[in-house]
Amino acid sequence: MKKMIVAFFMTGLGLQAVHAASAEQYVLAVSKINDRYQQDTRNFFNTLDPMQRGFNAEQQKTFCGILAKHADDLYQAADANRAYLDKKYVNLTKKDVVAQMLSSKEMQILKNYNVQCDFN
């Protein structure tokens, strides 16, 4: 009986460890995605003329590509780790990810540049 209780307890600990490891993997994945996004946007903005007040068609296409990749990567990370997300994020859709991204402070600043991206 003791062995059965210990085995049950150890199984529970093992499941918690797997859950914690997967949650940690998700956090690490999001961190890497955000680091890559910051580097990509930094590189993009370093190519711009500091005096320009908008993006030309090619710049808009490039920037929208960066944003789309970021949204895709974040959604894929959430989708792959859905079982380990907080309850309020379990039903997260790609549309939700895009909405969160577009409502960020940096995207609000970019409204002055009239950035219009299609994420469909």
Side-chain angles (χ1 to χ4, degrees), residues 68-95:
K69 172 91 171 106
H70 184 60
D72 285 342
D73 290 349
L74 287 174
Y75 176 73
Q76 287 175 8
D79 195 41
N81 294 284
R82 203 168 286 282
Y84 310 107
L85 296 178
D86 190 77
K87 290 178 185 177
K88 64 183 176 181
Y89 298 113
V90 169
N91 296 319
L92 190 73
T93 65
K94 186 172 177 187
K95 189 175 182 176

mmCIF file of all heavy atoms in Angstrom, residues 68-95:
data_model
loop_
_atom_site.group_PDB
_atom_site.id
_atom_site.type_symbol
_atom_site.label_atom_id
_atom_site.label_comp_id
_atom_site.label_asym_id
_atom_site.label_seq_id
_atom_site.Cartn_x
_atom_site.Cartn_y
_atom_site.Cartn_z
ATOM 1 N N ALA A 68 3.716 40.294 -39.403
ATOM 2 C CA ALA A 68 3.007 39.040 -39.674
ATOM 3 C C ALA A 68 3.792 37.850 -39.141
ATOM 4 O O ALA A 68 3.210 36.933 -38.542
ATOM 5 C CB ALA A 68 2.754 38.890 -41.173
ATOM 6 N N LYS A 69 5.100 37.858 -39.316
ATOM 7 C CA LYS A 69 5.947 36.773 -38.804
ATOM 8 C C LYS A 69 5.866 36.719 -37.281
ATOM 9 O O LYS A 69 5.759 35.635 -36.686
ATOM 10 C CB LYS A 69 7.391 36.985 -39.252
ATOM 11 C CG LYS A 69 8.406 36.057 -38.637
ATOM 12 C CD LYS A 69 8.595 34.825 -39.466
ATOM 13 C CE LYS A 69 9.773 34.003 -38.972
ATOM 14 N NZ LYS A 69 9.354 32.813 -38.264
ATOM 15 N N HIS A 70 5.889 37.869 -36.652
ATOM 16 C CA HIS A 70 5.807 37.941 -35.190
ATOM 17 C C HIS A 70 4.471 37.372 -34.704
ATOM 18 O O HIS A 70 4.439 36.557 -33.778
ATOM 19 C CB HIS A 70 5.986 39.387 -34.736
ATOM 20 C CG HIS A 70 6.005 39.573 -33.259
ATOM 21 N ND1 HIS A 70 6.938 38.978 -32.439
ATOM 22 C CD2 HIS A 70 5.198 40.273 -32.428
ATOM 23 C CE1 HIS A 70 6.707 39.305 -31.183
ATOM 24 N NE2 HIS A 70 5.651 40.096 -31.152
ATOM 25 N N ALA A 71 3.387 37.787 -35.328
ATOM 26 C CA ALA A 71 2.064 37.293 -34.942
ATOM 27 C C ALA A 71 1.966 35.784 -35.163
ATOM 28 O O ALA A 71 1.456 35.059 -34.304
ATOM 29 C CB ALA A 71 0.973 38.019 -35.733
ATOM 30 N N ASP A 72 2.460 35.299 -36.303
ATOM 31 C CA ASP A 72 2.433 33.858 -36.593
ATOM 32 C C ASP A 72 3.219 33.074 -35.551
ATOM 33 O O ASP A 72 2.752 32.055 -35.047
ATOM 34 C CB ASP A 72 3.011 33.555 -37.978
ATOM 35 C CG ASP A 72 2.081 33.919 -39.114
ATOM 36 O OD1 ASP A 72 0.862 34.081 -38.873
ATOM 37 O OD2 ASP A 72 2.577 34.050 -40.250
ATOM 38 N N ASP A 73 4.414 33.556 -35.245
ATOM 39 C CA ASP A 73 5.271 32.857 -34.284
ATOM 40 C C ASP A 73 4.634 32.822 -32.888
ATOM 41 O O ASP A 73 4.660 31.785 -32.221
ATOM 42 C CB ASP A 73 6.651 33.511 -34.212
ATOM 43 C CG ASP A 73 7.487 33.286 -35.463
ATOM 44 O OD1 ASP A 73 7.104 32.453 -36.312
ATOM 45 O OD2 ASP A 73 8.528 33.959 -35.596
ATOM 46 N N LEU A 74 4.065 33.952 -32.465
ATOM 47 C CA LEU A 74 3.411 33.989 -31.154
ATOM 48 C C LEU A 74 2.215 33.043 -31.114
ATOM 49 O O LEU A 74 2.009 32.329 -30.132
ATOM 50 C CB LEU A 74 2.965 35.410 -30.805
ATOM 51 C CG LEU A 74 4.064 36.385 -30.425
ATOM 52 C CD1 LEU A 74 3.489 37.789 -30.257
ATOM 53 C CD2 LEU A 74 4.791 35.939 -29.159
ATOM 54 N N TYR A 75 1.428 33.048 -32.184
ATOM 55 C CA TYR A 75 0.261 32.165 -32.212
ATOM 56 C C TYR A 75 0.684 30.698 -32.209
ATOM 57 O O TYR A 75 0.109 29.879 -31.495
ATOM 58 C CB TYR A 75 -0.636 32.455 -33.417
ATOM 59 C CG TYR A 75 -1.775 31.482 -33.478
ATOM 60 C CD1 TYR A 75 -2.822 31.571 -32.565
ATOM 61 C CD2 TYR A 75 -1.782 30.439 -34.392
ATOM 62 C CE1 TYR A 75 -3.852 30.651 -32.575
ATOM 63 C CE2 TYR A 75 -2.815 29.519 -34.412
ATOM 64 C CZ TYR A 75 -3.843 29.631 -33.502
ATOM 65 O OH TYR A 75 -4.855 28.707 -33.510
ATOM 66 N N GLN A 76 1.702 30.360 -32.993
ATOM 67 C CA GLN A 76 2.168 28.971 -33.038
ATOM 68 C C GLN A 76 2.683 28.520 -31.670
ATOM 69 O O GLN A 76 2.442 27.387 -31.260
ATOM 70 C CB GLN A 76 3.242 28.800 -34.109
ATOM 71 C CG GLN A 76 2.686 28.852 -35.511
ATOM 72 C CD GLN A 76 3.772 28.808 -36.574
ATOM 73 O OE1 GLN A 76 4.944 28.587 -36.285
ATOM 74 N NE2 GLN A 76 3.379 29.032 -37.812
ATOM 75 N N ALA A 77 3.387 29.401 -30.980
ATOM 76 C CA ALA A 77 3.879 29.055 -29.637
ATOM 77 C C ALA A 77 2.707 28.832 -28.685
ATOM 78 O O ALA A 77 2.710 27.871 -27.900
ATOM 79 C CB ALA A 77 4.791 30.158 -29.106
ATOM 80 N N ALA A 78 1.701 29.692 -28.764
ATOM 81 C CA ALA A 78 0.525 29.530 -27.898
ATOM 82 C C ALA A 78 -0.228 28.258 -28.269
ATOM 83 O O ALA A 78 -0.654 27.501 -27.384
ATOM 84 C CB ALA A 78 -0.390 30.742 -28.020
ATOM 85 N N ASP A 79 -0.384 28.020 -29.552
ATOM 86 C CA ASP A 79 -1.131 26.842 -30.002
ATOM 87 C C ASP A 79 -0.428 25.548 -29.588
ATOM 88 O O ASP A 79 -1.068 24.600 -29.146
ATOM 89 C CB ASP A 79 -1.313 26.892 -31.515
ATOM 90 C CG ASP A 79 -2.358 25.926 -32.007
ATOM 91 O OD1 ASP A 79 -3.418 25.793 -31.354
ATOM 92 O OD2 ASP A 79 -2.132 25.292 -33.054
ATOM 93 N N ALA A 80 0.884 25.525 -29.693
ATOM 94 C CA ALA A 80 1.651 24.326 -29.339
ATOM 95 C C ALA A 80 1.634 24.060 -27.836
ATOM 96 O O ALA A 80 1.826 22.923 -27.407
ATOM 97 C CB ALA A 80 3.094 24.457 -29.827
ATOM 98 N N ASN A 81 1.401 25.093 -27.054
ATOM 99 C CA ASN A 81 1.433 24.966 -25.589
ATOM 100 C C ASN A 81 0.086 25.290 -24.955
ATOM 101 O O ASN A 81 0.013 25.638 -23.777
ATOM 102 C CB ASN A 81 2.516 25.890 -25.020
ATOM 103 C CG ASN A 81 3.884 25.463 -25.439
ATOM 104 O OD1 ASN A 81 4.427 24.507 -24.911
ATOM 105 N ND2 ASN A 81 4.448 26.136 -26.435
ATOM 106 N N ARG A 82 -0.967 25.153 -25.723
ATOM 107 C CA ARG A 82 -2.313 25.519 -25.266
ATOM 108 C C ARG A 82 -2.691 24.859 -23.936
ATOM 109 O O ARG A 82 -3.311 25.477 -23.084
ATOM 110 C CB ARG A 82 -3.316 25.130 -26.346
ATOM 111 C CG ARG A 82 -4.594 25.898 -26.282
ATOM 112 C CD ARG A 82 -5.423 25.702 -27.531
ATOM 113 N NE ARG A 82 -4.930 26.390 -28.705
ATOM 114 C CZ ARG A 82 -5.077 27.681 -28.947
ATOM 115 N NH1 ARG A 82 -5.689 28.438 -28.079
ATOM 116 N NH2 ARG A 82 -4.617 28.221 -30.047
ATOM 117 N N ALA A 83 -2.284 23.621 -23.739
ATOM 118 C CA ALA A 83 -2.636 22.890 -22.517
ATOM 119 C C ALA A 83 -1.983 23.498 -21.274
ATOM 120 O O ALA A 83 -2.442 23.251 -20.154
ATOM 121 C CB ALA A 83 -2.217 21.432 -22.642
ATOM 122 N N TYR A 84 -0.962 24.304 -21.453
ATOM 123 C CA TYR A 84 -0.220 24.846 -20.317
ATOM 124 C C TYR A 84 -0.483 26.329 -20.096
ATOM 125 O O TYR A 84 0.084 26.935 -19.208
ATOM 126 C CB TYR A 84 1.281 24.613 -20.521
ATOM 127 C CG TYR A 84 1.556 23.181 -20.871
ATOM 128 C CD1 TYR A 84 1.909 22.821 -22.161
ATOM 129 C CD2 TYR A 84 1.397 22.175 -19.928
ATOM 130 C CE1 TYR A 84 2.116 21.499 -22.486
ATOM 131 C CE2 TYR A 84 1.599 20.854 -20.250
ATOM 132 C CZ TYR A 84 1.960 20.516 -21.537
ATOM 133 O OH TYR A 84 2.153 19.208 -21.859
ATOM 134 N N LEU A 85 -1.359 26.908 -20.910
ATOM 135 C CA LEU A 85 -1.657 28.328 -20.790
ATOM 136 C C LEU A 85 -2.687 28.573 -19.693
ATOM 137 O O LEU A 85 -3.472 27.696 -19.346
ATOM 138 C CB LEU A 85 -2.213 28.866 -22.110
ATOM 139 C CG LEU A 85 -1.276 28.831 -23.312
ATOM 140 C CD1 LEU A 85 -1.998 29.342 -24.546
ATOM 141 C CD2 LEU A 85 -0.019 29.619 -23.055
ATOM 142 N N ASP A 86 -2.686 29.780 -19.176
ATOM 143 C CA ASP A 86 -3.699 30.200 -18.222
ATOM 144 C C ASP A 86 -5.071 30.070 -18.886
ATOM 145 O O ASP A 86 -5.200 30.218 -20.096
ATOM 146 C CB ASP A 86 -3.426 31.665 -17.838
ATOM 147 C CG ASP A 86 -4.273 32.117 -16.689
ATOM 148 O OD1 ASP A 86 -3.964 31.759 -15.543
ATOM 149 O OD2 ASP A 86 -5.259 32.829 -16.951
ATOM 150 N N LYS A 87 -6.086 29.814 -18.081
ATOM 151 C CA LYS A 87 -7.440 29.570 -18.602
ATOM 152 C C LYS A 87 -7.918 30.669 -19.545
ATOM 153 O O LYS A 87 -8.604 30.391 -20.515
ATOM 154 C CB LYS A 87 -8.433 29.402 -17.457
ATOM 155 C CG LYS A 87 -8.253 28.133 -16.685
ATOM 156 C CD LYS A 87 -9.239 28.053 -15.534
ATOM 157 C CE LYS A 87 -8.948 26.820 -14.693
ATOM 158 N NZ LYS A 87 -9.834 26.736 -13.539
ATOM 159 N N LYS A 88 -7.567 31.903 -19.260
ATOM 160 C CA LYS A 88 -8.063 32.997 -20.105
ATOM 161 C C LYS A 88 -7.397 33.026 -21.483
ATOM 162 O O LYS A 88 -7.872 33.703 -22.378
ATOM 163 C CB LYS A 88 -7.917 34.346 -19.400
ATOM 164 C CG LYS A 88 -6.498 34.772 -19.116
ATOM 165 C CD LYS A 88 -6.504 36.089 -18.354
ATOM 166 C CE LYS A 88 -5.094 36.488 -17.982
ATOM 167 N NZ LYS A 88 -5.081 37.738 -17.225
ATOM 168 N N TYR A 89 -6.314 32.267 -21.665
ATOM 169 C CA TYR A 89 -5.632 32.229 -22.952
ATOM 170 C C TYR A 89 -5.805 30.902 -23.701
ATOM 171 O O TYR A 89 -5.305 30.756 -24.808
ATOM 172 C CB TYR A 89 -4.129 32.491 -22.770
ATOM 173 C CG TYR A 89 -3.848 33.852 -22.196
ATOM 174 C CD1 TYR A 89 -3.310 33.985 -20.928
ATOM 175 C CD2 TYR A 89 -4.135 35.007 -22.910
ATOM 176 C CE1 TYR A 89 -3.060 35.234 -20.389
ATOM 177 C CE2 TYR A 89 -3.888 36.255 -22.380
ATOM 178 C CZ TYR A 89 -3.350 36.365 -21.121
ATOM 179 O OH TYR A 89 -3.097 37.600 -20.592
ATOM 180 N N VAL A 90 -6.518 29.973 -23.117
ATOM 181 C CA VAL A 90 -6.676 28.655 -23.730
ATOM 182 C C VAL A 90 -7.336 28.745 -25.101
ATOM 183 O O VAL A 90 -6.970 28.022 -26.023
ATOM 184 C CB VAL A 90 -7.452 27.701 -22.797
ATOM 185 C CG1 VAL A 90 -7.849 26.435 -23.500
ATOM 186 C CG2 VAL A 90 -6.603 27.373 -21.581
ATOM 187 N N ASN A 91 -8.295 29.631 -25.264
ATOM 188 C CA ASN A 91 -9.014 29.751 -26.532
ATOM 189 C C ASN A 91 -8.469 30.872 -27.409
ATOM 190 O O ASN A 91 -9.167 31.379 -28.287
ATOM 191 C CB ASN A 91 -10.506 29.970 -26.267
ATOM 192 C CG ASN A 91 -11.120 28.770 -25.583
ATOM 193 O OD1 ASN A 91 -10.817 27.632 -25.924
ATOM 194 N ND2 ASN A 91 -11.970 29.013 -24.604
ATOM 195 N N LEU A 92 -7.231 31.260 -27.189
ATOM 196 C CA LEU A 92 -6.584 32.328 -27.935
ATOM 197 C C LEU A 92 -6.554 32.001 -29.425
ATOM 198 O O LEU A 92 -6.147 30.911 -29.817
ATOM 199 C CB LEU A 92 -5.155 32.510 -27.408
ATOM 200 C CG LEU A 92 -4.381 33.714 -27.887
ATOM 201 C CD1 LEU A 92 -4.934 34.967 -27.223
ATOM 202 C CD2 LEU A 92 -2.915 33.555 -27.519
ATOM 203 N N THR A 93 -6.985 32.943 -30.244
ATOM 204 C CA THR A 93 -6.949 32.768 -31.686
ATOM 205 C C THR A 93 -5.858 33.655 -32.273
ATOM 206 O O THR A 93 -5.343 34.553 -31.587
ATOM 207 C CB THR A 93 -8.294 33.153 -32.326
ATOM 208 O OG1 THR A 93 -8.501 34.564 -32.121
ATOM 209 C CG2 THR A 93 -9.450 32.358 -31.737
ATOM 210 N N LYS A 94 -5.545 33.425 -33.526
ATOM 211 C CA LYS A 94 -4.552 34.275 -34.180
ATOM 212 C C LYS A 94 -5.063 35.715 -34.256
ATOM 213 O O LYS A 94 -4.301 36.663 -34.111
ATOM 214 C CB LYS A 94 -4.223 33.744 -35.568
ATOM 215 C CG LYS A 94 -3.104 34.506 -36.217
ATOM 216 C CD LYS A 94 -2.654 33.878 -37.488
ATOM 217 C CE LYS A 94 -1.578 34.730 -38.124
ATOM 218 N NZ LYS A 94 -1.236 34.244 -39.444
ATOM 219 N N LYS A 95 -6.364 35.852 -34.440
ATOM 220 C CA LYS A 95 -6.973 37.188 -34.478
ATOM 221 C C LYS A 95 -6.751 37.911 -33.146
ATOM 222 O O LYS A 95 -6.479 39.108 -33.125
ATOM 223 C CB LYS A 95 -8.460 37.060 -34.792
ATOM 224 C CG LYS A 95 -9.151 38.357 -35.056
ATOM 225 C CD LYS A 95 -10.589 38.107 -35.485
ATOM 226 C CE LYS A 95 -11.277 39.419 -35.801
ATOM 227 N NZ LYS A 95 -12.629 39.233 -36.300
#
